[in-house]
């Protein structure tokens, strides 16, 4: 019996060690929203923020690390605590609302009855960093006014240095998004005082057309008179 127990105990020990290595705690990270001001104006500028589109490679919980050769590898010591896309939306919302001092900044899709002064179409094509690589943000926005006209189209490239650790990298990425929100707010402010959209009056029929129609009504129809020749009397 003793000879049979030893291999079993040895195997159990190996499985226990393997379980400890697999179940090592992994740190969870969220973007740093900074300290945005609390907006006080309930009737401030109305902004529809979004849709905010992010690159496909960012739509995951995996925290990716940019390598010196440009490739991306999954971090082994941490991951995102939930949806990165949702974190980006909330960070931008709070930052823009604070810069504009307006409670009327909402995320797309807007609720029924909300008429924005401007809509922000934002695309984030890159947001990453590496232990030896700076945090980089590439984005593009378009601002649509009340009349549906594109008032501005801008491409943004931002970089932020960091200390190298995973926590420092996440903090640097949050700072980049804060800077993006600040620049976006500066571009939005001139659109706050747009003139109201006037209702387009219905087109009426030209007077000349109506006059011609009346003249046609007065002209009698031609009636044929049977003789050797057909004569039309008016």
């Amino acid at each position: 019996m003793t000879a049979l127990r030893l291999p079993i105990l040895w195997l159990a020990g190996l499985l226990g060690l393997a379980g400890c290595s697999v179940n090592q705690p992994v740190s969870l990270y969220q973007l740093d929203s900074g300290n945005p001001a609390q907006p006080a104006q309930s009737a401030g500028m109305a902004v529809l923020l979004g849709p905010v589109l992010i690159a496909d490679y960012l739509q995951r919980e995996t925290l990716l690390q940019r390598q010196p050769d440009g490739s991306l590898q999954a971090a082994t010591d941490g991951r995102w605590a939930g949806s990165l896309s949702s974190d980006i939306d909330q960070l931008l919302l709070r930052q823009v609302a604070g810069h504009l001092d307006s409670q009327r900044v909402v995320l797309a899709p807007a609720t029924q009855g909300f008429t924005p002064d401007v809509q922000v179409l934002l695309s984030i094509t890159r947001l990453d960093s590496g232990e030896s690589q700076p945090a980089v943000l590439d984005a593009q926005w378009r601002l649509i006014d009340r009349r549906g006209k594109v008032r501005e189209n801008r491409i943004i490239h931002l970089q932020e240095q960091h200390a190298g650790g995973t926590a420092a990298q996440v903090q640097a990425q949050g700072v980049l998004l804060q800077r993006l929100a600040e620049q976006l707010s500066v571009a939005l402010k001139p659109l706050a005082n747009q003139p109201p959209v006037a209702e387009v009056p219905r087109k009426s029929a030209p007077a000349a057309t109506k006059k011609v129609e009346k003249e046609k009504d007065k002209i009698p129809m031609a009636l044929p008179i049977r003789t050797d020749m057909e004569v039309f009397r008016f």
Side-chain angles (χ1 to χ4, degrees):
M1 294 294 295
T2 303
L4 293 176
R5 287 178 182 176
L6 288 177
I8 295 175
L9 292 175
W10 177 73
L11 180 60
L14 287 179
L15 292 174
L17 291 175
C20 291
S21 62
V22 171
N23 295 324
Q24 287 180 352
V26 176
S27 299
L28 303 180
Y29 294 94
Q30 284 185 307
L31 293 168
D32 183 8
S33 298
N35 296 301
Q38 179 66 28
Q41 294 190 60
S42 59
M45 185 178 184
V47 178
L48 180 59
L49 184 58
V52 179
L53 304 178
I54 67 172
D56 290 342
Y57 80 94
L58 296 173
Q59 299 179 22
R60 62 187 70 196
E61 293 183 0
T62 306
L63 203 162
L64 299 176
Q65 299 277 284
R66 181 73 63 174
Q67 304 302 309
D69 62 358
S71 62
L72 291 166
Q73 292 184 9
T76 57
D77 60 343
R79 61 181 177 85
W80 295 112
S83 169
L84 176 60
S85 177
S86 179
D87 277 0
I88 292 174
D89 286 348
Q90 293 300 321
L91 187 156
L92 293 175
L93 174 68
R94 293 178 60 82
Q95 284 285 331
V96 171
H99 285 297
L100 297 179
D101 189 21
S102 173
Q103 293 278 2
R104 301 176 67 203
V105 180
V106 302
L107 291 170
T111 57
Q112 187 175 4
F114 180 78
T115 304
D117 297 315
V118 60
Q119 180 178 6
V120 180
L121 304 180
L122 180 62
S123 175
I124 296 176
T125 56
R126 179 177 175 182
L127 179 63
D128 57 59
S129 57
E131 186 174 351
S132 59
Q133 305 296 317
V136 176
L137 170 65
D138 287 334
Q140 180 181 17
W141 74 56
R142 284 190 298 164
L143 307 184
I144 314 296
D145 67 10
R146 292 176 180 174
R147 295 169 174 79
K149 180 181 178 182
V150 178
R151 297 295 293 270
E152 181 174 291
N153 182 66
R154 187 182 302 183
I155 297 174
I156 303 294
H157 176 79
L158 301 172
Q159 290 192 21
E160 183 74 15
Q161 298 294 331
H162 54 78
T166 304
Q169 293 179 50
V170 172
Q171 184 178 18
Q173 293 180 27
V175 170
L176 289 179
L177 288 166
Q178 295 173 38
R179 289 168 56 189
L180 173 66
E182 182 179 6
Q183 294 187 22
L184 176 59
S185 301
V186 171
L188 286 169
K189 286 180 179 179
L191 302 178
N193 300 315
Q194 300 177 56
V197 179
E199 293 185 3
V200 180
R202 294 181 178 179
K203 293 183 179 180
S204 57
T209 303
K210 292 184 177 179
K211 185 176 181 180
V212 171
E213 290 177 352
K214 290 182 179 179
E215 293 296 331
K216 287 182 178 179
D217 293 339
K218 295 179 181 179
I219 300 174
M221 295 181 63
L223 299 175
I225 299 177
R226 303 300 300 181
T227 59
D228 295 337
M229 299 179 59
E230 278 193 337
V231 177
F232 291 86
R233 177 181 296 170
F234 292 90

